[in-house]
């Protein structure tokens, strides 16, 4: 049976991922973390696959390979301009294939769960939208639209209120849900600490804990060992 809903995950590239974390992590670490978070998001998405199709929107070869490992569709983003442009293209792709509902989530919300995605789908109005804002209510971390292109999406640090205003103009129903997993996106160094403080055992959390336990330059200001301190004092 053809599903009418598709989950779209935009993802730029691993090689230059998460530049805003540069004060805390090296580029190699940022790439590792981005892949771990994407794997967490895909794991949650796999748990609702019976209710929707899943597509990764990216031009990154490694990310495409990971999506195919999960059995997800890849929508090729050859331009790699922005998350906004990628979702505009992917929304048109979805409509051309008969999907009447789109759900958009980023690839950097590692605490997302399948249960939260089920709740988003359960809350969907017959015609309207479901929004899950970021924990600071600035960004939009999950958007369900029915019909699929009900409003244009514009992503960034201050996207939530503009999306709400766009929905107001449609006069369609808007459901806003607060969710702890979807709500935490990892863009800034202090959010690494928030992720470490939360309960859970995601790929991203395990990676950060391994770095901290091994003292492997996370954060980038290396904490000296006791032996190093004794040597310096001597």
């Amino acid at each position: 049976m053809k599903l009418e809903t598709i989950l779209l995950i935009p993802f730029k590239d691993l090689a230059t991922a998460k530049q805003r974390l540069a004060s805390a992590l090296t580029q190699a670490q940022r790439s590792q973390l981005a892949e771990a978070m994407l794997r967490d998001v895909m794991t949650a998405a796999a748990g609702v696959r019976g209710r929707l199709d899943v597509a990764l929107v990216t031009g990154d070869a490694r990310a495409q390979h990971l999506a195919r490992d999960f059995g997800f569709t890849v929508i090729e983003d050859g331009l790699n301009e922005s998350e906004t442009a990628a979702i505009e293209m992917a929304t048109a792709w979805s409509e051309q294939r008969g999907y009447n509902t789109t759900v958009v989530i980023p690839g950097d919300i590692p605490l997302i769960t399948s249960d939260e995605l089920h709740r988003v789908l359960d809350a969907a109005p017959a015609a309207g939208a479901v929004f899950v804002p970021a924990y600071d209510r600035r960004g939009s971390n999950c958007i369900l639209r029915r019909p699929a292109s009900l409003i244009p999406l514009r992503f960034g640090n201050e996207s939530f209120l503009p999306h709400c205003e766009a929905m107001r103009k449609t006069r369609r129903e808007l459901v806003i849900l607060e969710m702890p997993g979807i709500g935490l996106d990892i863009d800034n160094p202090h959010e690494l600490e928030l992720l470490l403080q939360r309960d859970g055992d995601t790929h991203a959390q395990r990676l950060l804990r391994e770095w901290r336990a091994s003292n492997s330059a996370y954060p980038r200001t290396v904490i000296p060992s006791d032996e190093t301190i004794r040597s310096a004092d001597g």
Side-chain angles (χ1 to χ4, degrees), residues 145-214:
R145 294 174 293 170
R146 182 179 290 156
S149 58
L150 176 60
I151 59 168
L153 302 185
R154 298 290 182 267
F155 292 99
N157 283 339
E158 304 295 340
S159 64
F160 179 61
L161 291 180
H163 285 152
C164 290
E165 176 62 16
M167 275 302 301
R168 186 189 65 80
K169 292 177 180 178
T170 69
R171 298 188 178 182
R172 300 288 183 88
E173 183 178 355
L174 171 60
V175 178
I176 297 175
L177 302 176
E178 302 280 353
M179 294 185 174
I182 291 177
L184 181 60
D185 53 320
I186 308 302
D187 280 321
N188 301 296
H190 75 275
E191 288 160 350
L192 296 172
E193 293 301 319
L194 294 178
L195 180 55
L196 280 168
Q197 291 165 12
R198 294 280 193 91
D199 292 337
D201 190 37
T202 68
H203 292 90
Q205 286 175 309
R206 289 199 298 270
L207 187 62
L208 291 178
R209 289 165 185 160
E210 287 169 8
W211 288 340
R212 174 153 289 182
S214 64

Side-chain angles (χ1 to χ4, degrees), residues 83-163:
E83 191 175 66
T84 296
I87 287 303
E88 183 176 359
M89 177 271 293
T91 299
W93 181 99
S94 301
E95 288 185 310
Q96 290 166 9
R97 286 155 181 80
Y99 293 102
N100 73 354
T101 305
T102 53
V103 183
V104 179
I105 58 174
D108 63 352
I109 47 174
L111 296 182
I112 184 175
T113 65
S114 299
D115 179 65
E116 287 183 331
L117 286 173
H118 279 297
R119 288 174 57 201
V120 169
L121 295 172
D122 291 343
V130 179
F131 292 173
V132 182
Y135 70 97
D136 57 6
R137 294 184 71 86
R138 294 173 61 192
S140 306
N141 284 6
C142 179
I143 293 181
L144 180 148
R145 294 174 293 170
R146 182 179 290 156
S149 58
L150 176 60
I151 59 168
L153 302 185
R154 298 290 182 267
F155 292 99
N157 283 339
E158 304 295 340
S159 64
F160 179 61
L161 291 180
H163 285 152

Side-chain angles (χ1 to χ4, degrees), residues 11 14 35 38-39 56 59-67 69:
F11 187 84
L14 288 168
E35 182 172 343
L38 183 59
R39 189 178 294 274
L56 182 71
D60 185 273
R62 171 64 183 161
Q64 290 178 354
H65 180 77
L66 182 60
D69 283 347

Side-chain angles (χ1 to χ4, degrees), residues 11-109:
F11 187 84
K12 290 195 71 176
D13 64 86
L14 288 168
T16 59
K18 292 296 164 189
Q19 294 298 311
R20 281 183 282 178
L21 297 179
S23 63
L25 302 174
T26 66
Q27 182 58 71
Q29 288 174 319
R30 297 197 297 275
S31 297
Q32 281 183 272
L33 179 62
E35 182 172 343
M37 292 194 293
L38 183 59
R39 189 178 294 274
D40 288 326
V41 170
M42 289 185 177
T43 299
V48 292
R49 192 155 34 184
R51 300 184 67 180
L52 47 67
D53 290 328
V54 182
L56 182 71
V57 188
T58 188
D60 185 273
R62 171 64 183 161
Q64 290 178 354
H65 180 77
L66 182 60
R68 292 188 178 107
D69 283 347
F70 275 84
F72 297 160
T73 298
V74 171
I75 301 176
E76 179 74 39
D77 178 19
L79 296 178
N80 195 29
E81 290 179 344
S82 67
E83 191 175 66
T84 296
I87 287 303
E88 183 176 359
M89 177 271 293
T91 299
W93 181 99
S94 301
E95 288 185 310
Q96 290 166 9
R97 286 155 181 80
Y99 293 102
N100 73 354
T101 305
T102 53
V103 183
V104 179
I105 58 174
D108 63 352
I109 47 174

Side-chain angles (χ1 to χ4, degrees), residues 212-234:
R212 174 153 289 182
S214 64
N215 198 25
S216 61
Y218 168 66
R220 291 187 71 170
T221 303
V222 179
I223 302 170
S225 65
D226 291 342
E227 183 177 350
T228 303
I229 294 173
R230 284 196 297 271
S231 298
D233 289 343

